[in-house]
Amino acid sequence: MRLQETPLRLIRRAMGDRRKRREKLRRLAHTLRSYGHEERVLPRLQRLKDLGWIDEVPTRLQRMVGAIDMLRFFIVPCAAQYYRSKGINFGFHTLLRFLDDPSSLIDPTGFNSERDTIIGHVLQVVHANPLYDLQLLESFPDGLDAMEEQLLQILGGSHPRAASLLATVEDPDYHRRLLAHVREFRALGGAAHPLLRENVMSDEHFQQLEHTFGELPNAMRYFSKLPRTPLGAARHLLWVHEFPARLAAGRAR
């Protein structure tokens, strides 16, 4: 569907009907409110720490700077290269994602997002590695249950957001492979093999970045090494223009 329909039809599908647009705005408002309310975020972080996915909970400032680093060093350049290789306009693809769910674009770490926002984000984008998001979903008691159920709905044609999600995903086999990955993740207690996107597998630089940002434990270790003061954070953002490999996860897979 993604590669066969006209841009205007894809935009209409991504937007959805009036009821779906209202729900998208509600999720967006929830995510924006969560940025100012640590009491909504810290219990989820503590649950992840209790489950062993986080060694140390980064401060709010470290999470903000880490989210920016994740975007500018990994998510955006890696995605741009991938869509360029597919002959897909990255700007238009980003527009479709925004229309499908604006809240999924403003929270790179996912800590301020609701469960279904995270799931929708995983369903709408062929991920460099969805392992981070599966680990993140464990911050909700029913996160992985809901992930598997919604994948089955997508594959069965009954998901309420099927039209808008399929307007953004260019790989028709993605959801089937993702379902198998989720089931392996659950069966092995989180020890599933990474489901890497093809441009990550073929690029050594993106492999290093994915090793740091593609899994929650390594990403949080990176965040915890970032400056803790506003001045230090400002210096980092202003003066660090390339991925600081010294902060990266050192262990290779």
Side-chain angles (χ1 to χ4, degrees), residues 72-182:
R72 63 178 177 153
F73 295 137
F74 178 51
I75 294 176
V76 171
C78 187
Q81 186 212 61
Y82 170 72
Y83 288 107
R84 187 164 55 247
S85 73
K86 296 293 183 182
I88 295 173
N89 184 289
F90 181 54
F92 181 67
H93 178 78
T94 304
L95 172 63
L96 291 178
R97 285 190 56 203
F98 178 81
L99 294 174
D100 177 55
D101 190 357
S103 59
S104 69
L105 287 178
I106 66 169
D107 183 21
T109 64
F111 293 130
N112 300 284
S113 298
E114 295 177 311
R115 183 200 71 184
D116 285 354
T117 298
I118 297 169
I119 292 173
H121 165 69
V122 182
L123 295 180
Q124 74 171 184
V125 177
V126 177
H127 272 53
N129 182 4
L131 204 53
Y132 176 103
D133 298 270
L134 299 189
Q135 294 161 346
L136 176 65
L137 279 172
E138 294 233 72
S139 64
F140 301 96
D142 61 346
L144 293 175
D145 288 335
M147 177 85 245
E148 185 168 348
E149 175 60 27
Q150 291 194 37
L151 275 166
L152 289 170
Q153 290 174 353
I154 281 283
L155 293 169
S158 62
H159 196 286
R161 288 177 56 198
S164 62
L165 289 168
L166 294 176
T168 66
V169 175
E170 74 288 344
D171 182 351
D173 197 42
Y174 172 63
H175 294 123
R176 183 194 61 79
R177 290 186 290 109
L178 182 59
L179 176 61
H181 182 60
V182 171

Side-chain angles (χ1 to χ4, degrees), residues 26 33 38 73 75 79 88 130 141 155 160 173 205 211 214 228 250:
R26 186 200 65 77
R33 286 195 302 269
E38 279 287 89
F73 295 137
I75 294 176
I88 295 173
L155 293 169
D173 197 42
H205 175 63
H211 181 54
R228 292 176 172 266

